[in-house]
Amino acid sequence: MTRTRVYRDGVLQKEDFPVEDVSEFLAEPGTAVWVDLCAPTEADLAELAGELGLHRLAVEDAVSEHQRPKLDRYDGHAFLAAYAVRFDARTGRVTTAELGAFVTPRALVTVRKDDGFDIEPVLRRWDQATELAKSGVPFLLHGLLDHVVDGHFEAVQALDDEVEALEDLVFDDRPDSSELQRRSFRLRKSLTALRRVVLPMREVISALMRPDLQLADELTRPYFEDVHDHARQAAEQTEALRELIATVRETQLNLQGNRLNLIMKKVTGWAAVIAVPTAVTGFYGQNVPYPGNGAPSGFWSSTVAVLVLSVGLYALFKRKDWL
């Protein structure tokens, strides 16, 4: 599936035209072309690469999977790798969609590995920011990166809400330990996947704002700086969440240890109380004569001793909060 657009002097002139017409539009002054390819092969990119002078290594990176977010500079163009992120609150998992982009002075070519990266929100951003369209490729690149980074920020915020819910579950009166472990493991796994794609975006956006690359002009530079600020916030919050999850897990283990100590303290207290009648009845069960042996006074004295000592120990342990 291929999508195309051409802008002339900041005005959308035509869209969804054949890729073969790209060279004709680029031959006209004041034009900026966008081409979107979904799940292309290296052969599909060969013709377009020849027209735009794309480097062979960049083409290989565009069709290869699991690239690290990066910005590679080649002679006459740059190659961008990034990921769109979506957090599923129902499953608690983070899903990523890989994107490659060739950035030339007058053309932006986006390469999506599959339709998991929804390009429609990017088109809506372009249509809503017509005042930047006259910048050409920087305008297109900003809308693309703004969509990607906003997705990162939304996923981080959703994970933050999940961590807060996990904190409430930890301090529940009767916490479910298995559920706590399952959710904390799931959040750590999602945060690791998010961290892999969010943290490098700070350096990617910072690199493309370099003056020698000329990917951000005077009109769009403040907007790129805003995107860079959002990327930095998302990265910092991701790191903070990583530490917070570790703290929640450590708190959970400490609370479990405290509850276990409390249980052991109570069990030990009751064992001491139960030991009193056991000791008394064991003493009076001797097979040797003792005071009160064979007389009702022996039974009543042993009964009184059991009751007095047991109640006394119970009151002592209760006052010391051992029971």
Side-chain angles (χ1 to χ4, degrees):
M1 182 178 177
T2 304
R3 300 287 298 273
T4 54
R5 278 190 174 191
V6 59
Y7 291 84
R8 181 178 289 107
D9 297 327
V11 179
L12 177 61
Q13 294 293 317
K14 192 175 183 181
E15 56 183 328
D16 296 330
F17 53 84
V19 177
E20 293 77 11
D21 296 344
V22 169
S23 57
E24 298 180 8
F25 287 113
L26 291 178
E28 302 175 6
T31 57
V33 176
W34 168 67
V35 179
D36 175 67
L37 303 174
C38 185
T41 62
E42 197 167 341
D44 296 333
L45 281 170
E47 182 179 355
L48 188 61
E51 292 184 7
L52 299 178
L54 305 180
H55 198 279
R56 179 176 59 84
L57 294 178
V59 174
E60 290 178 0
D61 287 344
V63 296
S64 301
E65 295 185 354
H66 309 301
Q67 293 289 325
R68 186 178 185 274
K70 61 180 181 178
L71 181 70
D72 291 336
R73 183 178 180 181
Y74 298 95
D75 186 19
H77 70 91
F79 175 75
L80 169 73
Y83 287 82
V85 175
R86 184 175 62 86
F87 178 75
D88 189 345
R90 184 178 58 85
T91 61
R93 294 182 178 180
V94 169
T95 57
T96 59
E98 193 172 354
L99 172 77
F102 299 98
V103 187
T104 74
R106 295 177 56 198
L108 175 67
V109 180
T110 54
V111 181
R112 294 178 289 149
K113 297 298 187 296
D114 51 47
D115 56 3
F117 189 105
D118 189 6
I119 202 66
E120 293 300 327
V122 179
L123 298 180
R124 289 194 291 269
R125 286 175 185 264
W126 289 339
D127 294 337
Q128 293 169 1
T130 54
E131 70 280 1
L132 301 177
K134 59 183 178 181
S135 293
V137 172
F139 151 71
L140 298 174
L141 185 59
H142 166 264
L144 177 66
L145 290 175
D146 194 32
H147 168 69
V148 170
V149 172
D150 281 354
H152 294 176
F153 201 78
E154 290 174 2
V156 171
Q157 292 292 333
L159 274 175
D160 191 11
D161 294 339
E162 290 293 321
V163 172
E164 289 184 2
L166 184 64
E167 289 177 334
D168 295 338
L169 193 59
V170 167
F171 292 100
D172 192 34
D173 293 336
R174 293 185 177 181
D176 187 344
S177 298
S178 60
E179 177 66 15
L180 276 171
Q181 293 176 0
R182 184 163 47 249
R183 292 183 62 173
S184 61
F185 174 77
R186 187 175 59 195
L187 284 176
R188 286 199 304 270
K189 187 175 181 181
S190 298
L191 187 59
T192 299
L194 183 64
R195 185 173 179 267
R196 262 197 306 266
V197 300
V198 169
L199 262 62
M201 286 303 295
R202 292 179 299 182
E203 288 73 22
V204 169
I205 300 175
S206 179
L208 65 85
M209 292 174 60
R210 289 168 44 188
D212 57 320
L213 292 181
Q214 298 181 351
L215 297 179
D217 59 8
E218 293 301 321
L219 179 61
T220 57
R221 179 168 294 276
Y223 295 91
F224 275 105
E225 290 177 351
D226 182 66
V227 175
H228 182 252
D229 182 61
H230 288 171
R232 185 172 60 251
Q233 290 182 30
E236 291 173 353
Q237 194 166 353
T238 300
E239 288 294 294
L241 285 178
R242 186 186 183 192
E243 297 177 1
L244 186 57
I245 290 181
T247 302
V248 168
R249 178 58 177 166
E250 183 179 350
T251 303
Q252 177 193 356
L253 295 177
N254 290 337
L255 289 176
Q256 285 181 347
N258 291 337
R259 292 189 184 101
L260 180 60
N261 291 336
L262 181 61
I263 292 173
M264 292 301 298
K265 182 176 66 175
K266 291 184 177 182
V267 170
T268 303
W270 280 113
V273 173
I274 295 172
V276 169
T278 302
V280 173
T281 54
F283 175 80
Y284 280 93
Q286 299 178 88
N287 292 324
V288 295
Y290 57 87
N293 183 24
S297 61
F299 168 77
W300 290 113
S301 62
S302 64
T303 301
V304 170
V306 167
L307 292 175
V308 170
L309 292 176
S310 297
V311 171
L313 281 177
Y314 177 82
L316 176 64
F317 292 160
K318 194 70 174 177
R319 187 177 63 185
K320 292 181 175 293
D321 196 28
W322 290 1
L323 290 176

